[in-house]
Amino acid sequence: MAQTFTMEDLKERLQARQHKMTPQRQTVLQIFLEHPGEHLSAEDVHSILRENKSEIGLATVYRSLELLSDLGILQKMEFGDGCSRYEVNTTNPSEHHHHHLICTNCGKVIEFEDDLMDDLEADIEKKMGFHVENHQVKFYGVCKECQQA
């Protein structure tokens, strides 16, 4: 199960990787704490910052998101539309994270918690000698709302 993080938790994770919590990084991370469960693009983050009268530019947002993603603090996801989206990386290395259901009609992303991949991973390890450390599963289809429309 995913856990909830505070700004102090995220600051400790950043410092453990020899990076400082700059005011810009803190502001960007605060956006994710205020929008739990949302998959935000750099443009989404920048738009929220502008609404909040922040002076942080789009290039700084991109740099911050890339660094935080490279450090494993944010998880970067691609949903096939050419736009990277991010969320706080809540994965425990001993557990797998949630998966995503992506509506090909409206673009909505729904998180799916059940992990049905354990047997497949064990089979891969047994047959191929390959130890799976993590995985991502994305299901593409049409959401309930779009089907009803």
Side-chain angles (χ1 to χ4, degrees):
M1 187 59 132
Q3 65 185 76
T4 307
F5 287 96
T6 65
M7 185 58 71
E8 193 57 36
D9 295 327
L10 298 175
K11 183 177 181 180
E12 287 173 15
R13 289 173 71 181
L14 194 64
Q15 290 172 337
R17 292 162 179 86
Q18 280 70 53
H19 288 273
K20 293 180 180 176
M21 177 64 84
T22 65
Q24 294 87 350
R25 291 175 190 156
Q26 182 167 346
T27 302
V28 167
L29 283 171
Q30 189 62 43
I31 300 280
F32 287 93
L33 294 178
E34 292 170 358
H35 295 85
E38 292 185 37
H39 306 88
L40 302 173
S41 68
E43 290 79 8
D44 294 333
V45 171
H46 187 247
S47 176
I48 293 166
L49 290 170
R50 289 185 63 182
E51 288 171 16
N52 294 338
K53 308 291 188 240
S54 172
E55 299 291 322
I56 297 174
L58 185 57
T60 300
V61 171
Y62 271 107
R63 283 192 303 274
S64 296
L65 293 176
E66 282 301 313
L67 173 67
L68 296 167
S69 168
D70 289 346
L71 295 175
I73 294 168
L74 294 180
Q75 183 177 12
K76 181 178 183 178
M77 294 161 287
E78 306 287 341
F79 294 129
D81 61 358
C83 180
S84 298
R85 290 183 180 78
Y86 302 83
E87 66 183 348
V88 173
N89 186 357
T90 58
T91 58
N92 177 331
S94 64
E95 300 173 7
H96 293 300
H97 56 84
H98 55 266
H99 305 301
H100 297 94
L101 310 176
I102 301 135
C103 181
T104 55
N105 190 44
C106 70
K108 180 175 20 179
V109 178
I110 304 162
E111 293 182 356
F112 178 69
E113 292 289 338
D114 289 349
D115 194 344
L116 309 172
M117 304 300 285
D118 292 337
D119 291 340
L120 178 59
E121 287 182 9
D123 197 39
I124 288 169
E125 186 152 3
K126 181 179 175 186
K127 289 179 181 175
M128 304 299 294
F130 184 86
H131 176 72
V132 177
E133 294 178 348
N134 209 341
H135 65 264
Q136 280 190 0
V137 177
K138 301 170 196 160
F139 294 94
Y140 295 88
V142 181
C143 70
K144 196 182 320 182
E145 291 78 12
C146 287
Q147 289 178 48
Q148 294 171 349

